[in-house]
Amino acid sequence: MNEKKGNENSAVDAEKNIHTDFLNTMTYGEYLSLDKILSSQVRLSDHHDELLFIIIHQVNELWMKLILHEVNSAIECIQRDELSTAFKRLARVSKIQAQIISAWDVLSTLTPAEYMEFRDSLGQASGFQSYQYRMIEFALGYKTSHILKIYKKDPSLHSQLEKAFHAPSIYDVSIKALAKAGFDINPEVLNRDYSIPYKNDASVKKAWLEVYKNVDQYWDLYQLAEKLVDIEDWLQQWRFRHMKTVERIIGFKPGTGGSSGVNYLKKVLEHRFFSELWDIRTEL
């Protein structure tokens, strides 16, 4: 008994410098604004599982905020020829994507019967309307103008989306990096309207093929290409888990936002962001 008490006293003595007086200094909770974050889970029903539904989606939006932070920084780094820094940013994005994918495992503990108890409370609100997800798609090069109509309700937000819609994607700046390295890239690709969806180009495909055939000579471009493939791979896995989770919980019912639900999510799986990087694998 005395030995145990002695160990406890030693532990207390070892941590005697721990701060306990925060009358005039900032606490952990204040730094993180936990009062705002933890009071933002407002249920519209009395059902126990609505809290799970809200938290999963809020956490995903926080991760998406960080993805945008990292991808936009990577775009700027590539434009400044700081590829090694861009690689760091994109590697982090892939790790974040793994976290978002694992969140579907938690949400899929929600059964169809439980979700039906509060689904009507959502009205027409839907993950389809996630503006951060749309901005991620824009940053990766998937531009769809009809999506912008959803956000006209908020002029400030609509302006942000318009700016992202017309900005070069990470694939656009990567193609320009190929041109800077001396590859003969079609001028129409280099000077194109970024709001128009990108279409496969033979000169871009030829350049990437050359990079993959001469890895030692074009190591940085090869690394860039593989980082892009990583991100698209993880994004498609996220889309697949999303689709299967929705199917598991609501089957083939239409989404609350008016989409066809699972059928829409299956169709989205067919889209590719960096198509040349996938096509060249067949030819190597």
Side-chain angles (χ1 to χ4, degrees), residues 31-43:
Y31 172 68
L32 294 176
S33 299
L34 290 181
D35 56 335
K36 297 178 182 178
I37 294 173
L38 298 180
S39 61
S40 296
Q41 294 73 50
V42 182
R43 289 185 292 169

Side-chain angles (χ1 to χ4, degrees), residues 32-78:
L32 294 176
S33 299
L34 290 181
D35 56 335
K36 297 178 182 178
I37 294 173
L38 298 180
S39 61
S40 296
Q41 294 73 50
V42 182
R43 289 185 292 169
L44 298 181
S45 73
D46 294 326
H47 197 276
H48 173 86
D49 292 317
E50 189 181 357
L51 185 62
L52 160 70
F53 190 83
I54 292 171
I55 287 176
I56 287 291
H57 288 84
Q58 287 184 339
V59 169
N60 281 350
E61 290 293 335
L62 285 172
W63 281 129
M64 283 191 275
K65 181 175 183 177
L66 186 53
I67 287 175
L68 282 168
H69 180 66
E70 301 296 344
V71 170
N72 287 330
S73 176
I75 289 173
E76 294 173 0
C77 288
I78 295 168

Side-chain angles (χ1 to χ4, degrees), residues 253-267:
K253 294 184 182 72
T256 50
S259 75
S260 59
V262 169
N263 287 326
Y264 167 77
L265 296 174
K266 284 185 175 180
K267 184 178 180 180

Side-chain angles (χ1 to χ4, degrees), residues 119-135:
R119 189 183 189 226
D120 288 345
S121 300
L122 275 64
Q124 294 180 331
S126 165
F128 184 86
Q129 299 145 17
S130 169
Y131 68 86
Q132 290 199 121
Y133 178 74
R134 297 306 172 188
M135 290 180 77

Side-chain angles (χ1 to χ4, degrees), residues 161-184:
L161 284 154
E162 279 276 8
K163 182 179 178 181
F165 185 74
H166 291 281
S169 73
I170 196 164
Y171 198 48
D172 289 314
V173 298
S174 297
I175 291 171
K176 288 195 173 184
L178 289 171
K180 287 180 183 179
F183 288 101
D184 185 15

Side-chain angles (χ1 to χ4, degrees), residues 20 26 41 49-50 77 89 92 97 106 113 123 136 165 173 181 192 195 198 204 209 213 231 250 253 261:
T20 57
M26 179 177 61
Q41 294 73 50
D49 292 317
E50 189 181 357
C77 288
R89 304 284 190 262
R92 181 175 292 161
Q97 289 175 298
V106 183
I136 289 172
F165 185 74
V173 298
R192 72 188 196 85
S195 67
Y198 174 79
V204 174
L209 192 59
K213 286 181 176 179
I231 287 174
I250 68 168
K253 294 184 182 72

